[in-house]
Amino acid sequence: MHLPRERGPLSSAVLTALSGDGPLDAVALVERVTALSDETDVLVDDDFHLTLWTMYELHYRGFDGVDDDWEWDPELLRLRHAMEERLLAEYRFATSEWVHASMEATGDVPTRLFALTEMVPGAPLSSYMQREASREEFVEYMQHKSIYHLKESDPQSFVLARLSGRPKVALAELQYDEYGAGRPEQLHQALFAKGLDVCGLSSEYGAYIDLAPGSTLAVTNVMNLFVLRRSLAAAAMGHLGAFEATSSEPCRKVAGGCRRLGLPDLVASYFDEHIEADAVHEQLAFRDICGGMVAERPELLGDVFFGAAAYLFSEALAGGAMLDAWREGRSSLRSGTGDPGTASFETAVAS
Ligand SMILES: [Fe+2]
Ligand SMILES: [Fe+2]
């Protein structure tokens, strides 16, 4: 994957260092993060989230021409830590009401988690995709979703080594499904890639990074913040559970939207696959993983709720930004950055 294009002072400094074009002054950058004014919306800021996304990607597949050893560079980690602390504080503040209500609620852990998924106001993105989205908007939707779905489930694999007993076995079972249950062609990442291909889009890993706004990158950044910190493993699993528990019905709606628009069956098949799979995964995640972790260590309950609320909130911001753009008659993607491939979309879906 190529390095992305800079979006401001933080990403410029990090991308310059990764390219080998200059040193990384982590102390100055940490000061810059600490001094970010209230005018910078850290929840969705383009420069902030591209910088974090770039640093996290060093733990996955890295970048062409960038030394892999940047992954554990202490100066880069110093900057990442400062940015994570800032983002964590914003998320804890933004979700505190729902986490508090879940802590006060009665019932077992899965019951309270399912209730939490109803509590956090979401963006009606899947309903829009089902009933109203144009083909062009659907193409944009696929580009946004490619940021996570081309590495779907890889983040949560970092957590397996940190679990034991019932939660570990349940996460392995869930991941086995996500990774194709022994069939490479059923790997969920590959199913999504096929959907991109038949839309005439690029299924190359990271192809649409430059088009993705901060609100979209934030969804994977929050996930990475949780999965890469052992101290936040319970938040990572609450996050996973909320993802799975809010996937089945929305996937049914998006698959309906694919058919309404006459898109190739391969596009809908990714979403079809998740209607049943995620109805099982939500049980595994909320009951066996989250419930099991809290049974072993009751003090993790707040983290589980926080992770779930953080996921729901990040998706609401990302989906809300997409809907706002479309309702205002503009693209939900960043502009002026080139496009790796939408030109053949009409041709692809017409054939
Ligand atoms: Fe999946
Ligand atoms: Fe799933």
Side-chain angles (χ1 to χ4, degrees):
M1 177 175 26
H2 296 297
L3 279 171
R5 297 178 197 192
E6 63 173 78
R7 299 186 187 182
L10 289 172
S11 56
S12 172
V14 166
L15 291 166
T16 298
L18 294 181
S19 306
D21 294 335
L24 186 77
D25 187 348
V27 174
L29 290 171
V30 166
E31 274 175 23
R32 185 180 276 277
V33 170
T34 310
L36 280 175
S37 74
D38 289 344
E39 281 163 32
T40 303
D41 187 350
V42 167
L43 294 170
V44 297
D45 183 72
D46 262 344
D47 188 37
F48 189 95
H49 283 286
L50 180 71
T51 307
L52 258 187
W53 179 88
T54 303
M55 292 193 282
Y56 286 137
E57 206 50 41
L58 294 164
H59 290 291
Y60 290 90
R61 306 189 194 184
F63 299 97
D64 301 343
V66 174
D67 190 334
D68 286 340
D69 282 337
W70 273 106
E71 180 184 7
W72 297 110
D73 180 83
E75 296 305 298
L76 206 60
L77 291 175
R78 182 200 293 233
L79 171 61
R80 192 180 101 193
H81 185 262
M83 296 181 73
E84 285 184 340
E85 289 300 301
R86 181 71 194 258
L87 189 60
L88 259 181
E90 297 273 351
Y91 261 84
R92 287 200 190 281
F93 179 75
T95 59
S96 61
E97 172 192 340
W98 305 308
V99 173
H100 181 73
S102 301
M103 293 297 285
E104 296 289 302
T106 54
D108 62 15
V109 173
T111 302
R112 288 152 80 183
L113 279 164
F114 279 115
L116 176 56
T117 65
E118 302 286 327
M119 207 186 295
V120 179
L125 183 61
S126 58
S127 297
Y128 184 87
M129 302 317 293
Q130 180 185 26
R131 298 198 198 100
E132 295 179 60
S134 66
R135 286 184 171 205
E136 290 71 24
E137 289 165 348
F138 199 93
V139 165
E140 290 191 9
Y141 175 84
M142 294 292 284
Q143 289 168 287
H144 284 281
K145 293 295 174 184
S146 73
I147 306 300
Y148 172 60
H149 290 299
L150 287 176
K151 67 171 174 198
E152 184 173 330
S153 302
D154 286 344
Q156 290 76 26
S157 292
F158 281 115
V159 185
L160 262 178
R162 295 160 185 182
L163 303 181
S164 58
R166 181 162 67 114
K168 188 187 198 84
V169 172
L171 180 58
E173 184 180 342
L174 194 158
Q175 294 293 81
Y176 181 69
D177 270 358
E178 301 285 355
Y179 286 130
R183 293 164 295 164
E185 70 281 5
Q186 288 298 312
L187 182 68
H188 286 190
Q189 300 170 3
L191 291 179
F192 194 82
K194 278 186 210 159
L196 290 168
D197 288 337
V198 296
C199 283
L201 291 162
S202 171
S203 57
E204 192 183 324
Y205 186 82
Y208 295 105
I209 288 305
D210 287 325
L211 298 180
S215 52
T216 293
L217 298 181
V219 174
T220 53
N221 284 342
V222 170
M223 186 186 298
N224 279 321
L225 198 169
F226 293 161
V227 300
L228 290 168
R229 275 201 198 188
R230 191 166 58 83
S231 62
L232 290 172
M237 294 296 94
H239 183 284
L240 169 67
F243 178 99
E244 301 289 352
T246 54
S247 171
S248 181
E249 178 61 13
C251 279
R252 190 186 62 73
K253 291 180 178 176
V254 175
C258 295
R259 299 196 166 93
R260 173 179 61 80
L261 290 166
L263 301 178
D265 286 344
L266 270 173
V267 189
S269 64
Y270 169 85
F271 299 99
D272 287 337
E273 168 74 19
H274 285 81
I275 298 172
E276 279 187 34
D278 287 347
V280 176
H281 293 170
E282 68 183 25
Q283 299 294 332
L284 280 170
F286 275 173
R287 291 183 193 285
D288 297 286
I289 303 175
C290 295
M293 289 178 86
V294 173
E296 280 172 26
R297 291 179 56 196
E299 72 275 16
L300 296 179
L301 185 62
D303 277 1
V304 167
F305 290 145
F306 170 55
Y311 168 72
L312 298 164
F313 184 62
S314 69
E315 275 292 342
L317 291 178
M322 290 161 73
L323 290 174
D324 285 349
W326 294 335
R327 284 175 179 147
E328 290 165 16
R330 54 186 173 84
S331 168
S332 63
L333 297 169
R334 298 180 78 247
S335 58
T337 46
D339 185 332
T342 52
S344 59
F345 175 69
E346 288 300 332
T347 322
V349 297
S351 58

